[in-house]
Amino acid sequence: MANTILVGAQWGDEGKGKIIDVLTEQADIVVRYAGGNNAGHTVYIGRQKYVLHLVPSGILRKNKLCVIGNGVVVDPLGLVSEIEGLKKIGVKVSPKNFLLSETAHVVFPYHRELDAQREVIKGKNKIGTTKRGIGPAYGDKAARVGLRVNDLVDPVRLEAKLSARIKENNIVLKSLGAKPLSFKKVFADYNAAGKYLKPFVTNTVVLLHNAIRNQADILFEGAQGTFLDIDHGTYPFVTSSNTTAGGACTGSGVPPHRMDRVVGVMKAYTTRVGEGPLPTENSEISDLLHGMGREFGATTGRARRCGWFDSVATRHATMVNGIDDLAITNLDGLDTVETIKVCVAYRHGRKQYDFVPNDAEILAQCVPVYVEFEGWRTPTDKARTFKDLPIKAREYLKAIAGLTDANLFIASIGPGRDQTIFV
Ligand code: GDP
Ligand code: IMO
Ligand code: MG
């Protein structure tokens, strides 16, 4: 399969988990490179549902190595409970199939508390974060006051560094009217998690380079989506990492010229969870999808905002990620729609955009220019080959792939493994 970066081409929740699980069959190693347990990647195997937050979605296949790279921020308590949860439902997790970078940064309770408090202060301008402490943890990394996994697994270092960090953060928390943290309690919890995780910890950069030398095929599992990227997203309504393809290099230590291909995952429509501009947001499709019991967040359970497919955004995603191949998911969500709209440009006053403007305020005022497609109004979930799909559905897929300027590779017509059509 060669080394493949898989990214979300929209605002997250594109179905990356499902596609990673499918593509893992042909990979040796799956690497998470950015984000933390703000991610929620859903995989169905038969009727069993798995939601992965930190552990790469490749863990559900046998004899595959899963790696959390240096670019991820790790909540160790969350990770331990995720591993334990997987083991309880029969998934094997051991240092033979799961490894954690010693330089990944650690998320602490003061990060989560600060995340929550900052949202309160922002009031109606809040970001709508997952409250997992992601922003403050990456903030500490950039400010060079973060603790990394190699600090977590060394009790002496953990004690010294954590006590200093808790002292400083308690001053801030108190000034915000929040409860200060007990060093004793946090240290005890984190020291125990450090002990649990120690056998998994390694130099993942060296490991990945050795694997590449041995011709391994690596799949880089993106989290979030292009428009949640700290640089390329709808700032400030973004997450705090580079979710786009470049993040796979910095977040794993594998250089650009070792990457062979970028796969973009996108829904056949658009969703976003949290605040910020969403030009094609639309109550007709929102009501339809929510009425079908779909589009509720895998991490927070929040109802996702929904809209028509936005090809201005996905074409922009092809540009910043270098997307070669597309996996288009949730085609079946449109099975009952009479007339399907696709956004092909934005209008802002007299100006027309064929790319996503950088200013979130301008983007929020943009009015989509739509073209219409006649719906196929036939269930697609039983299709197993491209030819099984109604002709109008095939035309729709080809059209949105064309507008996105990338090659149609996979069409997904249900959450299951078998509901995957290689085009
Ligand atoms: P991720 O964060 O990108 O991995 O996506 P999520 O797991 O948060 O959300 C995607 C949702 O769509 C999950 O509930 C998946 O099971 C589901 N899903 C993925 N592909 C399809 C599809 O083609 N059809 C349907 N009906 N559901 C899908
Ligand atoms: P996956 O990997 C969808 C959104 C939050 C919020 C913003 C910032 O499942 O696609 P954060 O907690 O990161 O500071 O929140 O980003 N967000 C996601 N939206 N899918 C995700 O991950 C997301 N991770 C963060 O809702 O708007
Ligand atoms: Mg998700």
Side-chain angles (χ1 to χ4, degrees), residues 277-294:
L278 186 65
T280 63
E281 187 167 19
N282 177 280
S283 60
E284 184 190 338
I285 182 154
S286 245
D287 293 348
L288 170 83
L289 293 164
H290 293 150
M292 292 158 83
R294 301 165 72 127

Side-chain angles (χ1 to χ4, degrees), residues 38-214:
N38 49 347
H41 296 175
T42 315
V43 181
Y44 276 88
I45 300 174
R47 280 162 187 255
Q48 178 70 51
K49 178 181 180 178
Y50 303 85
V51 182
L52 287 315
H53 298 286
L54 275 164
V55 177
S57 305
I59 200 76
L60 304 174
R61 292 203 184 252
K62 286 197 184 104
N63 305 320
K64 308 290 175 180
L65 176 63
C66 288
V67 174
I68 292 185
N70 56 276
V72 175
V73 289
V74 177
D75 180 332
L77 307 190
L79 180 56
V80 170
S81 83
E82 189 172 333
I83 294 171
E84 283 298 302
L86 285 167
K87 283 182 172 174
K88 236 177 239 156
I89 47 178
V91 180
K92 285 206 177 93
V93 186
S94 79
K96 278 190 186 151
N97 70 339
F98 174 65
L99 292 167
L100 168 61
S101 164
E102 56 195 5
T103 57
H105 275 250
V106 178
V107 180
F108 286 96
Y110 47 83
H111 294 130
R112 284 199 302 274
E113 219 22 77
L114 285 172
D115 191 355
Q117 292 301 326
R118 285 178 188 158
E119 286 284 271
V120 173
I121 292 166
K122 283 200 169 107
K124 68 173 177 39
N125 296 321
K126 71 174 185 197
I127 297 166
T129 73
T130 60
K131 299 202 177 74
R132 298 296 191 270
I134 304 300
Y138 277 113
D140 275 3
K141 175 178 177 177
R144 296 151 296 171
V145 293
L147 273 72
R148 308 202 289 188
V149 166
N150 55 3
D151 300 313
L152 177 76
V153 298
D154 177 337
V156 176
R157 258 162 58 182
L158 178 64
E159 185 169 8
K161 291 193 177 182
L162 182 62
S163 73
R165 294 308 300 143
I166 291 216
K167 232 180 239 161
E168 183 185 319
N169 279 287
N170 275 349
I171 297 170
V172 181
L173 287 175
K174 274 193 244 167
S175 78
L176 297 173
K179 253 177 56 190
L181 296 160
S182 143
F183 164 73
K184 237 173 128 180
K185 164 98 178 81
V186 179
F187 176 72
D189 290 349
Y190 275 67
N191 194 34
K195 267 199 190 126
Y196 181 104
L197 293 172
K198 196 168 181 176
F200 298 100
V201 177
T202 192
N203 184 328
T204 53
V205 175
V206 171
L207 173 116
L208 291 174
H209 280 267
N210 284 338
I212 289 171
R213 228 169 279 128
N214 291 323

